[in-house]
Amino acid sequence: MNNTHTNKSFDKINLDWKLIQSELKLKLGIEVYESWIKKIDLYEEFNNYILLTVPTRFIRDWITSRYLDQILQTIRKHKKQIIRIEFKILEKKDNKSGKFNEFNQTNKTEKVSFIKDSHLQYSRIDPNKRFENFLTGSSNKIAFEASLKVSENISYYNPLYIYGGVGLGKTHLLNSIGYEMSKNKKVMFISAERFMYQFVKSIKSNDMVKFKEYFRNTDVLLIDDIQFMNGKEAMQEEFFHTFNALLDKESQIIVSADRPPNKLSRIQERIKSRFSGGLVVDIQKPEYDLRRKIIDHKINELTSLYSDKVNVTDEIQDFISNKITTNVRELVGAINRIVSFSRIYNKLPSLSETKIILKDLLNLTENNVTIDSIQTIVCKFFKISKNEMLSSRRSRYLVRPRQTAIYLTKILTTKSLPEIGREFSNRDHTTIIHSVKTIEKLKEKNPDMNDNINKLKNIILYNKEG
Ligand code: ADP
Ligand code: MG
């Protein structure tokens, strides 16, 4: 159809890119459209993939990590054969807007004031990460509330220092604060790595005055992942002074890190003590209830984008919330994969498919769940011996525990049916399927059974009784 910019491949273009873009606008919202989708052009269309162009690598990475799946789905509505998207970076000649002019070595000679551009560089606030979609539970409530207060009431806690393991929501919280406060304040959101990079760059280009002015001119300074700050004395010196200058003029400072201030290596004592002087809060690993909440919310969020809602079964939700326990990012990633799978294949993955899709995420906890430990725990629970469990006797008091152990092996390990059969005295894989199905049915009908299974799961996964 009509496509203005690629005469060379004119004959190959059948997709109406403008139409696809407007569908994406509806799907993803105007903000996402304006910031990202609008910047994509269709370059060339092949049999089963298409080549899109974006003006910078940054935009490409951003789009790839967040919207690729939705873009592909939308394209596939028009052309089912497309299974893949590729990007080409096509810099626009006119740099008038200069907005996404990245820190790019090739730009060195241009007379681009980094002050002007850098505001956009630093304030890469993701409008999708706000307080409203940050779910809370006992593990993150304190950090959440402190962040909310800071965003409502300048200099209440100053600095605010948020720490916690990877993927637990620190950047999300910083981003939420930045998003809120940028409505009426000058906000700068930067990672410690970028801060260092910019510092070094400014020294080289004799721009230190601007650098200082720029950082000292902000109302709100958010620094992400401060543990990566490992620069030379001169840089820490500068950081310390910036920090003090900002506190003096009552600008709000928010810092995140993967550890508490006193555990930061390579950072000057006086900076650490400045950090400790404000409010220090931590985010813990998400507890079971929060994991369920996040899964539930994420499924709704993802499926609300499409007319056909994906009904991820309780069993799969249960499985994910029991298996992915240490990291919200992986939890969200797991849901993304399940939902993508359902949309691509037009069906929900089975439990064993789920295990395959999530294999790399599951391996973390997989190792300590062995068939042997499951058998031992189930035997103890039902007060039978392991010989009895593995025997061929079919007395009722042995059959249920045996089936329970088989079922638990199926859902808690990535073992295949034949492998499980082998570990249960060479039973046939059809016996294994039968056991799994029997327990699934009983679990639904019989609350006691369900209760027992949950207790056993807890013991197996967390060594926790009751
Ligand atoms: P960190 O910076 O601590 O490594 P992020 O803030 O990048 O972690 O969070 C990882 C992912 O998990 C992000 O997609 C984020 O939106 C999501 N996330 C983390 N915590 C929550 C939460 N409490 N509610 C909703 N999403 C969350
Ligand atoms: Mg982060």
Side-chain angles (χ1 to χ4, degrees):
M1 278 172 215
N2 62 339
N3 193 298
T4 47
H5 59 278
T6 53
N7 328 346
K8 77 183 249 285
S9 50
F10 183 81
D11 51 345
K12 288 195 182 170
I13 302 272
N14 292 310
L15 284 166
D16 184 346
W17 184 243
K18 287 275 169 278
L19 177 66
I20 292 172
Q21 278 179 313
S22 60
E23 286 178 15
L24 284 164
K25 184 174 7 177
L26 282 178
K27 200 183 256 189
L28 302 172
I30 182 82
E31 253 171 327
V32 174
Y33 172 79
E34 286 292 331
S35 318
W36 312 108
I37 306 299
K38 209 169 96 178
K39 302 187 162 43
I40 311 173
D41 276 321
L42 177 56
Y43 188 76
E44 195 161 354
E45 198 180 316
F46 298 87
N47 278 341
N48 62 355
Y49 76 99
I50 61 169
L51 186 57
L52 302 176
T53 62
V54 285
T56 71
R57 209 172 309 138
F58 171 67
I59 294 180
R60 179 198 64 195
D61 294 345
W62 188 281
I63 290 170
T64 315
S65 67
R66 287 166 178 81
Y67 311 116
L68 196 61
D69 187 42
Q70 279 108 314
I71 296 173
L72 183 59
Q73 287 310 315
T74 309
I75 293 170
R76 282 171 56 92
K77 274 201 216 148
H78 297 269
K79 188 172 173 189
K80 246 194 140 48
Q81 305 92 289
I82 302 290
I83 52 169
R84 181 159 58 92
I85 294 175
E86 286 189 5
F87 284 102
K88 180 182 163 78
I89 317 282
L90 200 69
E91 281 170 49
K92 293 257 161 71
K93 286 272 153 51
D94 61 326
N95 240 336
K96 258 182 276 166
S97 63
K99 210 167 162 187
F100 291 99
N101 204 353
E102 295 201 73
F103 295 168
N104 195 329
Q105 259 73 356
T106 56
N107 282 339
K108 241 180 205 156
T109 49
E110 286 173 30
K111 275 249 182 285
V112 185
S113 151
F114 101 76
I115 304 296
K116 198 175 80 218
D117 291 345
S118 52
H119 181 70
L120 292 150
Q121 279 304 322
Y122 298 144
S123 296
R124 275 178 188 169
I125 290 175
D126 177 357
N128 293 313
K129 292 191 175 138
R130 304 182 311 269
F131 285 122
E132 299 95 89
N133 59 10
F134 188 85
L135 304 171
T136 57
S138 52
S139 51
N140 61 16
K141 209 171 176 63
I142 296 175
F144 174 81
E145 278 166 5
S147 304
L148 200 58
K149 275 196 183 133
V150 158
S151 77
E152 286 165 353
N153 187 358
I154 278 235
S155 296
Y156 196 71
Y157 305 119
N158 209 1
L160 172 63
Y161 185 103
I162 303 174
Y163 74 91
V166 64
L168 297 185
K170 302 180 297 293
T171 302
H172 191 133
L173 276 182
L174 256 59
N175 202 91
S176 308
I177 299 173
Y179 181 80
E180 261 329 292
M181 298 188 92
S182 62
K183 290 175 182 167
N184 45 28
K185 305 270 176 207
K186 221 187 296 169
V187 173
M188 193 187 297
F189 182 17
I190 187 172
S191 69
E193 279 173 309
R194 275 232 171 240
F195 181 89
M196 294 189 300
Y197 178 75
Q198 197 55 54
F199 178 84
V200 173
K201 191 165 175 255
S202 307
I203 291 183
K204 283 190 188 146
S205 58
N206 265 324
D207 253 348
M208 267 322 278
V209 177
K210 279 183 186 166
F211 179 88
K212 284 183 189 184
E213 261 173 27
Y214 188 63
F215 277 93
R216 291 177 192 191
N217 217 348
T218 187
D219 302 322
V220 182
L221 177 62
L222 296 134
I223 302 193
D224 206 7
D225 288 324
I226 197 80
Q227 74 273 8
F228 293 129
M229 173 91 85
N230 58 2
K232 306 253 154 48
E233 281 299 297
M235 198 199 68
Q236 299 218 12
E237 193 76 12
E238 177 51 34
F239 181 67
F240 184 67
H241 290 303
T242 304
F243 203 84
N244 287 336
L246 287 174
L247 287 181
D248 275 350
K249 71 179 197 82
E250 303 201 327
S251 291
Q252 177 69 49
I253 297 173
I254 303 105
V255 176
S256 83
D258 66 350
R259 62 197 87 173
N262 60 352
K263 293 266 166 60
L264 292 168
S265 48
R266 299 177 298 211
I267 289 192
Q268 291 178 357
E269 282 306 319
R270 56 182 189 165
I271 297 179
K272 291 190 216 173
S273 96
R274 276 298 200 173
F275 289 156
S276 313
L279 180 68
V280 177
V281 291
D282 71 337
I283 307 185
Q284 302 277 340
K285 290 177 190 157
E287 72 280 9
Y288 180 80
D289 286 348
L290 180 58
R291 300 201 298 273
R292 286 307 295 241
K293 218 161 132 181
I294 289 171
I295 290 174
D296 199 50
H297 175 87
K298 201 66 205 170
I299 291 172
N300 282 333
E301 187 183 284
L302 282 173
T303 62
S304 70
L305 293 170
Y306 313 98
S307 46
D308 42 343
K309 188 169 159 49
V310 179
N311 289 308
V312 179
T313 58
D314 272 354
E315 189 188 31
I316 291 179
Q317 295 198 30
D318 217 43
F319 176 76
I320 296 174
S321 53
N322 276 313
K323 294 292 273 181
I324 301 179
T325 58
T326 55
N327 183 319
V328 180
R329 178 178 295 133
E330 285 173 356
L331 206 55
V332 173
I335 294 298
N336 268 322
R337 290 193 204 170
I338 301 287
V339 172
S340 301
F341 179 99
S342 337
R343 297 214 336 276
I344 292 167
Y345 296 101
N346 251 322
K347 63 158 196 157
L348 271 182
S350 66
L351 198 56
S352 47
E353 282 165 334
T354 301
K355 287 175 191 167
I356 294 166
I357 305 171
L358 304 180
K359 203 170 170 80
D360 54 311
L361 302 177
L362 299 174
N363 279 341
L364 307 168
T365 40
E366 183 71 33
N367 296 335
N368 39 24
V369 178
T370 60
I371 295 191
D372 190 57
S373 70
I374 294 175
Q375 290 173 342
T376 307
I377 289 166
V378 174
C379 284
K380 194 171 156 212
F381 189 86
F382 289 107
K383 303 198 172 56
I384 61 171
S385 76
K386 213 156 176 178
N387 278 340
E388 286 176 307
M389 169 171 282
L390 298 178
S391 72
S392 51
R393 287 168 55 199
R394 305 206 32 89
S395 332
R396 200 184 162 79
Y397 84 104
L398 296 180
V399 170
R400 285 286 177 266
R402 191 181 291 140
Q403 291 174 331
T404 303
I406 289 173
Y407 168 82
L408 288 167
T409 307
K410 184 74 190 114
I411 68 162
L412 298 176
T413 72
T414 50
K415 295 274 184 289
S416 68
L417 295 170
E419 276 174 314
I420 299 174
R422 232 171 288 136
E423 300 284 337
F424 283 83
S425 313
N426 277 324
R427 283 179 161 75
D428 190 77
H429 77 274
T430 53
T431 312
I432 304 301
I433 295 177
H434 175 71
S435 305
V436 173
K437 290 213 167 123
T438 307
I439 298 296
E440 274 171 356
K441 273 193 210 122
L442 285 174
K443 222 165 64 102
E444 261 172 34
K445 275 192 260 161
N446 180 344
D448 283 348
M449 186 72 186
N450 198 27
D451 209 42
N452 281 345
I453 296 279
N454 283 336
K455 277 186 196 149
L456 280 164
K457 264 200 255 174
N458 257 327
I459 304 172
I460 294 164
L461 291 171
Y462 311 112
N463 266 329
K464 251 192 289 189
E465 310 269 339

